[in-house]
Amino acid sequence: MMRARLIADGWVLLHASAAVFPGGRTLLALGDSGAGKTTTALTLASAGAALLANDCCFARPNTDGTLDLLPWPAAAAVGLGLLHALTFTESARSHLQTGEPPHPTQDQRVTDALTTGRPGALMSASGRELKAHIWPEQLTRWFGLSLATTGTAAGVLLPHVAPSPVAPASAVDGRRFKVTSNAFVTSDEERYPDLFGFTEGSSVGTPTARTEVLEYLNRLPRQAIDLSHDHPGNTRLLTALTASLVDAGHGRLDGVGRPKRQPGSPAVPPESATARN
């Protein structure tokens, strides 16, 4: 019901994690499943940012020329390897061993691994990674992360996890990549139907809202990143990129969808039609 009401009010739902910095300025990490959205957001949150979203968030252009963001309050699905890299495993084990129930959708094998303190990724027989399911409030109570309830888009990260375990974390010029409609959650992924008819059958947002959000995202500073299997290396890369991206994106859209340039700032370069998959 909440999602349907927000969609009816002009919001769209993005496949994005989000970390919020002082002043509400927010970095979005966009990508498909497995791209590294959760790794990006939790790494930034563990380094001091406030976590707005782990996998999905709502976005809507504001009348003042900014892009407003809201969280989608779902459980975070976090791989055991990432939990271990973030040094969260011991806290999860302690809470579960004292009798706190796990998330109802969490695979029992994950609960067993967490309870015994087993590190490393856990895979199913089909090769799918089994992940811990963690309520938003547990991110704060178990791991000490700060949560945000609102944000304003200031920059876009386009993560990709390097397949090689020895490849270093690195940055790629994000201006070569265009955000496409793949960034939106589609009706095929809808688990919460609009039973009350708020959206008149549309669960993906109006065409106007989607167009405006895409236009805004493609005018924000963007940075493509290759995440490594080395968590300290990822942390160094992400924290180094944060200040420049957040500061560069601290502006409003003018009438044609461009961020208003601050005095002395460079012009926004033209876009290409290449999307990062």
mmCIF file of all heavy atoms in Angstrom, residues 38 42 51 54-55 73-79 103 106 131-136 139:
data_model
loop_
_atom_site.group_PDB
_atom_site.id
_atom_site.type_symbol
_atom_site.label_atom_id
_atom_site.label_comp_id
_atom_site.label_asym_id
_atom_site.label_seq_id
_atom_site.Cartn_x
_atom_site.Cartn_y
_atom_site.Cartn_z
ATOM 1 N N THR A 38 25.261 -3.287 -2.648
ATOM 2 C CA THR A 38 25.291 -3.488 -1.201
ATOM 3 C C THR A 38 26.693 -3.274 -0.661
ATOM 4 O O THR A 38 26.876 -2.622 0.371
ATOM 5 C CB THR A 38 24.799 -4.896 -0.851
ATOM 6 O OG1 THR A 38 23.434 -5.032 -1.255
ATOM 7 C CG2 THR A 38 24.896 -5.157 0.645
ATOM 8 N N LEU A 42 27.244 -0.350 2.162
ATOM 9 C CA LEU A 42 27.647 -0.745 3.508
ATOM 10 C C LEU A 42 29.089 -0.327 3.801
ATOM 11 O O LEU A 42 29.428 -0.021 4.948
ATOM 12 C CB LEU A 42 27.472 -2.247 3.690
ATOM 13 C CG LEU A 42 26.025 -2.753 3.715
ATOM 14 C CD1 LEU A 42 25.979 -4.250 3.999
ATOM 15 C CD2 LEU A 42 25.185 -2.008 4.748
ATOM 16 N N LEU A 51 23.193 5.194 6.085
ATOM 17 C CA LEU A 51 22.634 4.303 5.066
ATOM 18 C C LEU A 51 21.173 4.659 4.801
ATOM 19 O O LEU A 51 20.350 4.629 5.710
ATOM 20 C CB LEU A 51 22.745 2.857 5.525
ATOM 21 C CG LEU A 51 22.256 1.799 4.536
ATOM 22 C CD1 LEU A 51 23.181 1.717 3.324
ATOM 23 C CD2 LEU A 51 22.166 0.425 5.214
ATOM 24 N N ASN A 54 19.757 -0.133 0.820
ATOM 25 C CA ASN A 54 20.681 -1.220 0.549
ATOM 26 C C ASN A 54 20.538 -1.752 -0.873
ATOM 27 O O ASN A 54 21.523 -2.150 -1.491
ATOM 28 C CB ASN A 54 20.427 -2.341 1.556
ATOM 29 C CG ASN A 54 21.033 -3.658 1.144
ATOM 30 O OD1 ASN A 54 22.239 -3.829 1.199
ATOM 31 N ND2 ASN A 54 20.194 -4.595 0.699
ATOM 32 N N ASP A 55 19.324 -1.723 -1.406
ATOM 33 C CA ASP A 55 19.096 -2.300 -2.728
ATOM 34 C C ASP A 55 18.115 -1.502 -3.580
ATOM 35 O O ASP A 55 18.240 -1.474 -4.789
ATOM 36 C CB ASP A 55 18.581 -3.740 -2.584
ATOM 37 C CG ASP A 55 18.457 -4.457 -3.911
ATOM 38 O OD1 ASP A 55 19.490 -4.629 -4.585
ATOM 39 O OD2 ASP A 55 17.333 -4.837 -4.285
ATOM 40 N N PRO A 73 11.839 0.286 2.852
ATOM 41 C CA PRO A 73 12.176 -0.354 4.127
ATOM 42 C C PRO A 73 12.103 -1.879 4.094
ATOM 43 O O PRO A 73 11.233 -2.503 4.704
ATOM 44 C CB PRO A 73 11.123 0.235 5.075
ATOM 45 C CG PRO A 73 9.939 0.495 4.195
ATOM 46 C CD PRO A 73 10.500 0.904 2.855
ATOM 47 N N ALA A 74 13.019 -2.482 3.363
ATOM 48 C CA ALA A 74 13.087 -3.933 3.280
ATOM 49 C C ALA A 74 14.352 -4.423 3.962
ATOM 50 O O ALA A 74 15.296 -3.667 4.198
ATOM 51 C CB ALA A 74 13.074 -4.375 1.809
ATOM 52 N N ALA A 75 14.381 -5.708 4.277
ATOM 53 C CA ALA A 75 15.561 -6.299 4.881
ATOM 54 C C ALA A 75 16.730 -6.265 3.896
ATOM 55 O O ALA A 75 16.545 -6.382 2.685
ATOM 56 C CB ALA A 75 15.281 -7.735 5.309
ATOM 57 N N ALA A 76 17.930 -6.098 4.432
ATOM 58 C CA ALA A 76 19.136 -6.129 3.614
ATOM 59 C C ALA A 76 19.586 -7.575 3.443
ATOM 60 O O ALA A 76 19.627 -8.348 4.405
ATOM 61 C CB ALA A 76 20.239 -5.318 4.286
ATOM 62 N N ALA A 77 19.921 -7.940 2.201
ATOM 63 C CA ALA A 77 20.479 -9.266 1.918
ATOM 64 C C ALA A 77 21.988 -9.087 1.757
ATOM 65 O O ALA A 77 22.442 -8.451 0.807
ATOM 66 C CB ALA A 77 19.861 -9.854 0.656
ATOM 67 N N VAL A 78 22.744 -9.655 2.686
ATOM 68 C CA VAL A 78 24.183 -9.407 2.745
ATOM 69 C C VAL A 78 24.925 -10.741 2.742
ATOM 70 O O VAL A 78 24.654 -11.618 3.570
ATOM 71 C CB VAL A 78 24.561 -8.606 4.012
ATOM 72 C CG1 VAL A 78 26.033 -8.226 3.977
ATOM 73 C CG2 VAL A 78 23.679 -7.368 4.152
ATOM 74 N N GLY A 79 25.846 -10.899 1.823
ATOM 75 C CA GLY A 79 26.631 -12.112 1.762
ATOM 76 C C GLY A 79 27.516 -12.274 2.988
ATOM 77 O O GLY A 79 27.954 -11.296 3.599
ATOM 78 N N HIS A 103 15.832 -13.429 10.614
ATOM 79 C CA HIS A 103 14.784 -13.010 9.692
ATOM 80 C C HIS A 103 14.056 -14.248 9.167
ATOM 81 O O HIS A 103 14.684 -15.273 8.869
ATOM 82 C CB HIS A 103 15.420 -12.237 8.533
ATOM 83 C CG HIS A 103 14.435 -11.547 7.664
ATOM 84 N ND1 HIS A 103 13.708 -12.198 6.684
ATOM 85 C CD2 HIS A 103 14.056 -10.236 7.607
ATOM 86 C CE1 HIS A 103 12.913 -11.326 6.073
ATOM 87 N NE2 HIS A 103 13.109 -10.134 6.609
ATOM 88 N N GLN A 106 15.377 -16.003 6.013
ATOM 89 C CA GLN A 106 16.795 -16.375 5.953
ATOM 90 C C GLN A 106 16.946 -17.893 5.921
ATOM 91 O O GLN A 106 16.335 -18.612 6.709
ATOM 92 C CB GLN A 106 17.536 -15.798 7.155
ATOM 93 C CG GLN A 106 19.021 -16.106 7.188
ATOM 94 C CD GLN A 106 19.721 -15.301 8.249
ATOM 95 O OE1 GLN A 106 19.978 -14.108 8.033
ATOM 96 N NE2 GLN A 106 20.019 -15.908 9.384
ATOM 97 N N LYS A 131 22.480 -15.576 1.457
ATOM 98 C CA LYS A 131 22.823 -14.341 2.165
ATOM 99 C C LYS A 131 22.063 -14.207 3.470
ATOM 100 O O LYS A 131 20.965 -14.749 3.638
ATOM 101 C CB LYS A 131 22.530 -13.134 1.271
ATOM 102 C CG LYS A 131 23.365 -13.113 -0.007
ATOM 103 C CD LYS A 131 23.110 -11.865 -0.817
ATOM 104 C CE LYS A 131 24.005 -11.824 -2.063
ATOM 105 N NZ LYS A 131 23.812 -10.585 -2.837
ATOM 106 N N ALA A 132 22.656 -13.457 4.389
ATOM 107 C CA ALA A 132 21.976 -13.091 5.623
ATOM 108 C C ALA A 132 20.927 -12.034 5.314
ATOM 109 O O ALA A 132 21.157 -11.133 4.508
ATOM 110 C CB ALA A 132 22.980 -12.551 6.627
ATOM 111 N N HIS A 133 19.764 -12.161 5.944
ATOM 112 C CA HIS A 133 18.692 -11.187 5.786
ATOM 113 C C HIS A 133 18.583 -10.408 7.094
ATOM 114 O O HIS A 133 18.311 -10.995 8.146
ATOM 115 C CB HIS A 133 17.375 -11.882 5.450
ATOM 116 C CG HIS A 133 17.390 -12.536 4.104
ATOM 117 N ND1 HIS A 133 16.302 -13.206 3.577
ATOM 118 C CD2 HIS A 133 18.354 -12.633 3.161
ATOM 119 C CE1 HIS A 133 16.602 -13.683 2.381
ATOM 120 N NE2 HIS A 133 17.849 -13.340 2.112
ATOM 121 N N ILE A 134 18.780 -9.110 6.999
ATOM 122 C CA ILE A 134 18.927 -8.287 8.193
ATOM 123 C C ILE A 134 17.945 -7.125 8.138
ATOM 124 O O ILE A 134 17.931 -6.350 7.172
ATOM 125 C CB ILE A 134 20.374 -7.758 8.303
ATOM 126 C CG1 ILE A 134 21.350 -8.941 8.318
ATOM 127 C CG2 ILE A 134 20.552 -6.895 9.539
ATOM 128 C CD1 ILE A 134 22.787 -8.535 8.140
ATOM 129 N N TRP A 135 17.127 -7.011 9.191
ATOM 130 C CA TRP A 135 16.179 -5.901 9.258
ATOM 131 C C TRP A 135 16.926 -4.575 9.353
ATOM 132 O O TRP A 135 18.029 -4.512 9.909
ATOM 133 C CB TRP A 135 15.284 -6.037 10.485
ATOM 134 C CG TRP A 135 14.341 -7.189 10.478
ATOM 135 C CD1 TRP A 135 14.378 -8.289 11.283
ATOM 136 C CD2 TRP A 135 13.188 -7.354 9.643
ATOM 137 N NE1 TRP A 135 13.332 -9.135 11.003
ATOM 138 C CE2 TRP A 135 12.587 -8.592 9.999
ATOM 139 C CE3 TRP A 135 12.617 -6.587 8.623
ATOM 140 C CZ2 TRP A 135 11.439 -9.056 9.365
ATOM 141 C CZ3 TRP A 135 11.472 -7.062 7.997
ATOM 142 C CH2 TRP A 135 10.895 -8.281 8.376
ATOM 143 N N PRO A 136 16.337 -3.478 8.854
ATOM 144 C CA PRO A 136 17.008 -2.179 8.958
ATOM 145 C C PRO A 136 17.413 -1.814 10.385
ATOM 146 O O PRO A 136 18.523 -1.320 10.611
ATOM 147 C CB PRO A 136 15.965 -1.201 8.387
ATOM 148 C CG PRO A 136 15.212 -2.027 7.388
ATOM 149 C CD PRO A 136 15.115 -3.394 8.016
ATOM 150 N N LEU A 139 20.664 -3.285 11.526
ATOM 151 C CA LEU A 139 21.881 -2.662 11.012
ATOM 152 C C LEU A 139 22.430 -1.652 12.017
ATOM 153 O O LEU A 139 23.649 -1.494 12.154
ATOM 154 C CB LEU A 139 21.607 -1.979 9.675
ATOM 155 C CG LEU A 139 21.275 -2.907 8.503
ATOM 156 C CD1 LEU A 139 20.795 -2.088 7.309
ATOM 157 C CD2 LEU A 139 22.478 -3.753 8.106
#
